[in-house]
Amino acid sequence: MKSCSGNVVRQADFHLASQITSILPISLSDEQCINVILTAEGAMGVFLFVTGEEYTKLSSLQKRLIEALPQNAALNNFNFRKYVSDGMMKYPRRKGVLDMGIIRKYLMLSTQEQEDIAKSLDLETKEITEVISRTDKLLYKMF
């Protein structure tokens, strides 16, 4: 992915199961940039750069939430998102991708459940909500 200045910041392999028609870098401020991806079917995705520390917290939270949240159609949230009408996706999601749809569900849990999950990750509830809020603020600036 390229930054808004045009320099390659990170190189990664993503399979989106769809033909990409455009990758648009959008500058939110001097140091913050996101990449919006548009597909031929009209889908839109956002790639957001996060620090290594934030990634570690969000990744750990996502794994814990997948185990803790109720299951949909006898599949955990991660497998449910991989399911398509003709079976499981041919190219399942990589482990390094953060799914904010799952991560935001942390904010909808009761205070006790949030504290239990935070304790299991050796983090404070405030730390987790700050990382989620910062990430959401960057995404909301785009719209």
Side-chain angles (χ1 to χ4, degrees), residues 12-73:
D13 180 24
F14 293 99
H15 179 72
L16 302 175
S18 184
Q19 180 183 1
I20 296 173
T21 57
S22 299
I23 299 177
L24 308 168
I26 297 175
S27 180
L28 301 175
S29 66
D30 292 337
E31 69 277 346
Q32 296 173 334
C33 182
I34 60 175
N35 288 291
V36 178
I37 295 172
L38 305 171
T39 68
E41 290 85 20
M44 181 179 89
V46 177
F47 285 93
L48 174 70
F49 298 105
V50 294
T51 65
E53 183 180 331
E54 289 174 335
Y55 174 79
T56 303
K57 289 177 184 178
L58 291 173
S59 178
S60 299
L61 176 62
Q62 177 176 287
K63 289 175 190 171
R64 181 66 182 99
L65 286 172
I66 286 171
E67 296 168 2
L69 292 173
Q71 297 183 357
N72 298 310

Side-chain angles (χ1 to χ4, degrees), residues 77-96:
N77 283 284
F78 188 72
N79 288 331
F80 181 74
R81 288 183 174 274
K82 291 191 313 187
Y83 185 79
V84 291
S85 60
D86 59 344
M88 297 300 270
M89 290 173 64
K90 220 178 198 183
Y91 303 98
R93 291 184 179 180
R94 301 260 178 186
K95 290 183 179 179

